[in-house]
Amino acid sequence: MRPRSSCVFESRVSRRPMPRYIFITGGVVSSLGKGLASAALGALLQARGYRVRLRKLDPYLNVDPGTMSPYQHGEVYVTDDGAETDLDLGHYERFTGVSAAQSDNITTGRIYQTIIERERRGDYLGATVQVIPHVTDVIKQFVLADAGDVDFVLCEIGGTVGDIEGLPFFEAIRQLAQELGRDRALFIHVTLLPFIKAAGEMKTKPTQHSVKELRSIGIQPDILLCRCEMPIDPGDKRKIALFCNVPESAVIEGLDAASLYDVPLAYHAQGLDSEVLTRFGLPADPEPDLTRWETISQTIREPDGQVTIGVVGKYTGLLDAYKSLIEALHHGGIANRVKVRLKWLDATQFEQPDSMGPLEDVHGVLVPGGFGERGAEGKIAAARFAREHRVPYFGICFGMQMAVIEAARNLAGALEASSTEFGPAEDAVVGLLTEWTKGNRVETRSADDDLGGTMRLGAYPAVLAKGSKVREIYGAERIEERHRHRYEVNIAWRERLEAAGLVFSGLSPDGVLPEIVEYADHPWFIGVQFHPELKSRPFDPHPLFASFIAAAVEQSRLV
């Protein structure tokens, strides 16, 4: 093996063997942080010089989360190649900087869709199609396919052990471990150690039962990642190791962290990455280079100030609907060494007269993406408040569209301006996109198409206008950002709106699709049709978010 490179993204292995696979499962209850644990472990292995790829296997029957309510599933994370995926892929990208792809998220729906298509074509040559081997074979093919030139593939299994819908996935990874061999497969089980206040004790029995359930289907975990509210007593650690058939060193404590970005440091301190490498027979020395994580952690703990951002949305009852957005705002805070306090505001409250009071103490207004008419008038009112009061405004996707409608109504005199998303509109400033170019092909859609997978999805380029604020922020003439939307601002309104002061500062290369709007005479008012939050990283904050928070810092000095 060659000496470890100073670059965390360069593999320490010169002649790389076949990748090793780490399967992360969960037990007892959901929401224990499997995705975050997977991302943190990926970051730790990266910091040791290894190349990683992370994947998510979701047992639900939806083909993808694209048609699921945010209240059901949280945000839909979109990849460069246009896949609508689980929000955990956002964790993976933010922690490792490795761009995910459609091949990194699979669901039961896609598995069965693939199998039924094959059966209808006659690919199975008259055989009876069964869960074993046909379903499990397709799952295994997904896990092994398109891994790329990496050292480790981390596969997170959604849900918890014992869920009936997850059984084919557990059987598939059991088979894979047998086929790959002990030197290329490892199981990490994330479980819960609840503390019963009335008894004054931490209980290990739920973990024991979860491991028993896992072992009953043929999987012996190699490492237990135990989520807990307080440190594990040495006696409890010995008990868990004994009853769960793992070494004591493989019982890893997973305490709550003050920040998401403390998690890699915390798991390293508990020896998670060392245990993984030891289990694979790889050297655990030297120590990984965690400088950037330490810097991020210190910046979050010791900010130079604080700003308040009012987020005017419609899914404020479940903040996972805005997971990437929240993190991107915090990344903007890291870039400016300030704490970002988020003030969540339901857009519907601004639909009444004299209701803008909650925005008067914020240093910036952000209107995020969304679908449907509910709350739209409140978002339009928030955009007007920010424009008139010269408060920094950031409109993302739907938030840009509402800002454009606000300008058309109140600056360009089109009092009935609206979006066809809300119904027929005489002055349709925003309308259904029916045809656009992606690469070298033309995409077409109609109002009667299925909802799933029919939006403008994935990375598209935009050209930024000379002298515009966004061109200065990006420091580039041409950018590429990820999209997820069905409606577009009508380019036919450009001349009229620009005469009123709203500049179309970013367009698709063919000049047909408005991508960015801004006011030249406003301290910071930008709307974007894409989702920049999907490309922001703690160690590489997105320039728009860094600039927006910098503008909020300036606003805080004026208040």
Side-chain angles (χ1 to χ4, degrees):
M1 300 181 75
R2 66 185 180 189
R4 187 166 69 86
S5 168
S6 60
C7 176
V8 296
F9 294 109
E10 183 176 344
S11 174
R12 67 187 292 176
V13 183
S14 56
R15 180 174 291 177
R16 194 168 298 108
M18 296 292 287
R20 296 172 173 86
Y21 288 81
I22 301 173
F23 300 104
I24 299 97
T25 61
V28 184
V29 295
S30 60
S31 301
L32 287 180
K34 294 193 306 294
L36 191 55
S38 303
L41 177 56
L44 291 174
L45 293 171
Q46 254 190 354
R48 289 180 177 274
Y50 294 101
R51 292 186 181 179
V52 300
R53 190 175 189 100
L54 291 96
R55 296 190 151 155
K56 178 73 183 286
L57 285 65
D58 275 312
Y60 53 74
L61 277 169
N62 303 68
V63 172
D64 59 43
T67 58
M68 296 171 72
S69 164
Y71 289 114
Q72 288 278 318
H73 194 262
E75 78 167 358
V76 175
Y77 193 80
V78 179
T79 59
D80 282 330
D81 61 359
E84 295 177 289
T85 71
D86 185 82
L87 62 82
D88 279 327
L89 271 72
H91 287 314
Y92 304 163
E93 285 202 9
R94 284 188 287 274
F95 275 68
T96 67
V98 177
S99 293
Q102 187 166 21
S103 58
D104 291 321
N105 190 201
I106 195 73
T107 67
T108 296
R110 275 183 62 197
I111 295 292
Y112 277 90
Q113 185 180 57
T114 299
I115 290 169
I116 290 171
E117 288 172 354
R118 291 178 181 178
E119 188 272 335
R120 293 290 84 188
R121 287 196 305 265
D123 292 359
Y124 294 113
L125 302 177
T128 301
V129 181
Q130 298 175 291
V131 173
I132 301 173
H134 301 101
V135 173
T136 52
D137 279 353
V138 173
I139 295 171
K140 289 189 292 183
Q141 289 164 11
F142 161 76
V143 171
L144 296 174
D146 191 32
D149 193 17
V150 300
D151 303 304
F152 292 97
V153 178
L154 286 73
C155 293
E156 176 195 350
I157 317 301
T160 57
V161 62
D163 295 343
I164 190 168
E165 61 265 28
L167 287 175
F169 290 90
F170 286 107
E171 171 61 20
I173 63 174
R174 183 199 68 78
Q175 293 178 19
L176 260 180
Q178 289 291 104
E179 294 165 11
L180 293 168
R182 289 280 294 171
D183 60 338
R184 287 188 57 207
L186 179 148
F187 292 102
I188 297 176
H189 192 51
V190 183
T191 183
L192 177 68
L193 292 180
F195 182 81
I196 309 301
K197 292 182 180 179
E201 288 183 310
M202 181 179 285
K203 293 297 183 179
T204 66
K205 194 63 71 175
T207 290
Q208 294 178 45
H209 279 294
S210 184
V211 172
K212 182 180 179 181
E213 181 76 22
L214 197 60
R215 294 172 69 184
S216 72
I217 56 179
I219 296 174
Q220 166 62 51
D222 299 287
I223 297 173
L224 297 178
L225 187 52
C226 302
R227 296 284 285 111
C228 48
E229 297 179 18
M230 57 187 61
I232 305 173
D233 180 86
D236 286 335
K237 186 172 282 194
R238 285 193 295 271
K239 183 192 294 186
I240 293 167
L242 177 65
F243 283 98
C244 297
N245 197 32
V246 298
E248 280 188 49
S249 61
V251 181
I252 305 296
E253 185 177 275
L255 290 166
D256 291 344
S259 161
L260 289 182
Y261 306 114
D262 287 332
V263 173
L265 299 171
Y267 282 155
H268 172 67
Q270 289 294 317
L272 175 60
D273 49 323
S274 297
E275 191 67 27
V276 167
L277 295 177
T278 300
R279 163 64 178 74
F280 279 124
L282 297 171
D285 293 319
E287 286 289 292
D289 181 4
L290 299 175
T291 305
R292 68 177 178 180
W293 294 106
E294 292 164 352
T295 300
I296 291 168
S297 180
Q298 183 181 14
T299 302
I300 293 172
R301 286 197 316 271
E302 302 172 0
D304 293 337
Q306 176 177 292
V307 296
T308 300
I309 302 298
V311 183
V312 182
K314 63 184 294 184
Y315 308 119
T316 54
L318 181 69
L319 298 189
D320 267 357
Y322 300 113
K323 190 61 185 171
S324 292
L325 181 72
I326 293 169
E327 296 311 312
L329 286 164
H330 289 314
H331 301 164
I334 291 170
N336 290 279
R337 297 195 62 86
V338 295
K339 178 180 180 180
V340 178
R341 173 179 170 263
L342 301 181
K343 185 176 183 179
W344 294 97
L345 301 165
D346 190 314
T348 58
Q349 69 181 288
F350 299 119
E351 296 178 351
Q352 304 301 320
D354 302 320
S355 59
M356 307 310 294
L359 289 177
E360 291 179 356
D361 64 344
V362 304
H363 306 123
V365 176
L366 190 148
V367 176
F371 295 92
E373 189 173 7
R374 184 177 68 83
E377 291 299 325
K379 293 183 178 185
I380 291 170
R384 180 174 186 174
F385 175 90
R387 176 178 59 81
E388 293 180 342
H389 290 78
R390 298 181 65 79
V391 176
Y393 176 88
F394 196 177
I396 296 177
C397 195
F398 194 81
M400 168 183 157
Q401 296 172 4
M402 297 305 99
V404 173
I405 291 174
E406 190 278 322
R409 290 180 182 179
N410 300 310
L411 295 179
L415 300 182
E416 301 302 317
S418 188
S419 169
T420 59
E421 183 174 0
F422 312 146
E426 183 175 338
D427 289 330
V429 179
V430 178
L432 179 69
L433 180 68
T434 58
E435 183 176 301
W436 67 92
T437 301
K438 183 167 188 177
N440 58 0
R441 71 177 189 272
V442 174
E443 298 274 353
T444 59
R445 299 287 186 272
S446 76
D448 297 326
D449 283 340
D450 290 342
L451 292 179
T454 60
M455 290 183 275
R456 185 153 73 104
L457 292 165
Y460 285 84
V463 178
L464 308 184
K466 290 182 180 179
S468 64
K469 184 180 290 291
V470 287
R471 185 155 171 174
E472 176 187 349
I473 291 170
Y474 275 100
E477 176 186 357
R478 187 182 177 99
I479 61 171
E480 191 169 89
E481 295 281 3
R482 298 179 189 177
H483 294 65
R484 182 178 184 255
H485 57 96
R486 185 170 282 106
Y487 293 82
E488 298 274 357
V489 172
N490 187 345
I491 191 66
W493 283 79
R494 179 182 182 181
E495 183 176 345
R496 188 172 174 183
L497 288 170
E498 289 196 330
L502 185 64
V503 179
F504 284 48
S505 54
L507 298 170
S508 58
D510 59 8
V512 172
L513 302 175
E515 294 280 10
I516 307 175
V517 296
E518 63 181 64
Y519 286 107
D521 61 350
H522 192 283
W524 208 100
F525 192 109
I526 293 173
V528 298
Q529 185 58 74
F530 45 83
H531 289 270
E533 69 271 21
L534 300 178
K535 296 182 74 170
S536 188
R537 312 285 180 258
F539 41 81
D540 185 20
H542 193 284
L544 285 175
F545 282 93
S547 180
F548 176 58
I549 298 302
V553 171
E554 289 300 313
Q555 182 72 15
S556 70
R557 293 169 180 159
L558 300 175
V559 175

